[in-house]
Amino acid sequence: MHPNVQTLSAASIPWYRHRWPWLLMAGPAVVVVAGLFTVWLAVVRGDALVADDYYKQGKAINQDLRRDHEALRLGADIRLAYDPAAGMLRGRLRMTEKPAAGEAGSVLFLSLVHPTQPARDRALVARPAVDGSFAVPLDELEPARWRLVAEDGSRAWRLHGNWAWPQQREMAMSAQAYAPAE
């Protein structure tokens, strides 16, 4: 066979019948598909760790510090234990000083904040007895490092801390833990 005949026959084959154009187009095609998948992920799953109102949250830090100082002044202390068999979160709130008159002593707001999934956050309302003890129904508490915030009914003071459930069976929060060093 003459060399020019083979060249002519390869040149007469349409481009899409050759493997090299497809091999060269495969890389950019994979990148386009991966890019579309990334866009889909970004739209469907929003980043829960980024706050829309970060400026307002920054301004609110000073107000939150006042609530921490108020908890310190009152000598607030709370101890919690979760009983998964009974589905109850039990605790005791102690204060060395009485809060101002009003709703502050009758209601306790407890927030259990999941570290990565806001849909799993829990907001509980407890009504402590005269001795400060309370019990709140709580469905299954999944293993995680929960952020816990306890506030009085008027939101004048707060306690906060981290609770690694189930490694820590009990949890204690005290205003003394956040006291400024003197």
Side-chain angles (χ1 to χ4, degrees):
M1 184 180 272
H2 195 274
N4 289 339
V5 174
Q6 187 175 7
T7 306
L8 289 176
S9 66
S12 65
I13 298 175
W15 69 270
Y16 54 85
R17 301 285 299 233
H18 294 278
R19 67 178 158 201
W20 293 111
W22 294 109
L23 185 64
L24 292 173
M25 287 187 286
V30 168
V31 170
V32 168
V33 170
L36 292 173
F37 180 70
T38 303
V39 168
W40 177 78
L41 278 178
V43 170
V44 171
R45 298 182 181 194
D47 190 358
L49 300 178
V50 177
D52 291 341
D53 56 350
Y54 65 92
Y55 180 71
K56 286 182 186 177
Q57 289 180 359
K59 287 175 61 175
I61 287 174
N62 288 338
Q63 181 181 6
D64 288 343
L65 292 176
R66 279 181 279 197
R67 296 185 330 160
D68 292 344
H69 291 300
E70 181 64 13
L72 180 62
R73 186 187 70 76
L74 295 171
D77 178 80
I78 193 167
R79 301 206 182 281
L80 298 168
Y82 177 58
D83 182 3
M88 296 293 284
L89 180 67
R90 292 184 169 83
R92 179 175 305 270
L93 172 66
R94 293 184 302 171
M95 300 182 128
T96 55
E97 288 197 27
K98 290 283 186 191
E103 188 185 359
S106 63
V107 176
L108 181 65
F109 293 116
L110 297 168
S111 300
L112 285 148
V113 181
H114 193 275
T116 58
Q117 299 174 3
R120 297 185 187 264
D121 293 355
R122 311 280 176 88
L124 307 170
V125 178
R127 301 201 182 281
V130 175
D131 67 348
S133 63
F134 61 88
V136 180
L138 179 61
D139 295 338
E140 182 181 349
L141 188 62
E142 72 179 48
R145 185 173 176 85
W146 293 90
R147 175 91 174 132
L148 192 99
V149 179
E151 302 172 297
D152 68 320
S154 62
R155 309 248 195 240
W157 60 265
R158 76 168 183 173
L159 295 172
H160 51 90
N162 294 316
W163 187 13
W165 168 258
Q167 293 84 4
Q168 293 176 307
R169 291 293 178 179
E170 295 182 359
M171 196 254 192
M173 293 186 296
S174 172
Q176 296 295 328
Y178 300 101
E182 293 181 20

